[in-house]
């Protein structure tokens, strides 16, 4: 049976885990009338699934990426997932300053992955 490439598995699992974590952390912003303790427990329940994806993603990814690279991949994915979540779930617009900030973070990712000789 053919196996999927490590980068594809790592990025796929990190992307799915970030969807869960974004809902766990920021989903309660849309439910401000719900008791805080209730949303905390619901968020913990959602975060469990995030961990079930994040831990294997990092373990699998560590076969070709170092810790800094894994964290950078995760942060870039987090911003992409959050941008979509913010617009479509929270109904908050993304502004040019958000885009500029994300671009600077992407530039930072370039420096993390660039092989300097």
């Amino acid at each position: 049976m053919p196996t999927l490439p490590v980068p594809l598995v790592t990025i796929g699992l990190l992307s799915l885990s970030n969807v869960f974590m974004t809902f766990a952390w920021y989903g309660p912003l849309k439910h401000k009338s719900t008791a805080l303790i209730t949303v905390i427990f619901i968020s913990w329940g959602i975060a469990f699934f995030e961990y079930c994806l994040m831990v294997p993603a990092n373990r699998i990814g560590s076969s070709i990426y170092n810790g800094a690279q894994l964290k950078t991949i995760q942060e870039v994915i987090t911003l992409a997932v959050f941008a979509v979540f913010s617009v479509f779930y929270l109904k908050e617009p993304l502004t040019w300053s958000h885009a500029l900030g994300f671009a600077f973070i992407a530039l930072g990712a370039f420096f993390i992955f660039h092989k300097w000789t």
Side-chain angles (χ1 to χ4, degrees), residues 29-102:
L29 296 179
K30 225 174 157 179
H31 304 282
K32 294 180 181 176
S33 64
T34 304
L36 184 57
I37 191 70
T38 301
V39 294
I40 288 171
F41 281 111
I42 290 170
S43 291
W44 277 353
I46 295 169
F48 169 77
F49 296 102
E50 184 268 343
Y51 279 92
C52 288
L53 296 166
M54 178 71 75
V55 171
N58 285 325
R59 181 171 284 188
I60 292 165
S62 69
S63 68
I64 62 170
Y65 300 116
N66 64 39
Q69 289 172 325
L70 284 167
K71 183 61 178 172
T72 301
I73 294 167
Q74 186 265 329
E75 292 299 335
V76 170
I77 291 169
T78 296
L79 287 173
V81 168
F82 184 78
V84 172
F85 178 86
S86 179
V87 170
F88 291 104
Y89 186 79
L90 296 178
K91 307 292 186 207
E92 297 176 355
L94 289 178
T95 66
W96 69 268
S97 59
H98 295 134
L100 182 62
F102 293 169

Side-chain angles (χ1 to χ4, degrees), residues 20-32:
F20 281 104
M21 191 50 92
T22 300
F23 273 97
W25 285 9
Y26 300 101
L29 296 179
K30 225 174 157 179
H31 304 282
K32 294 180 181 176

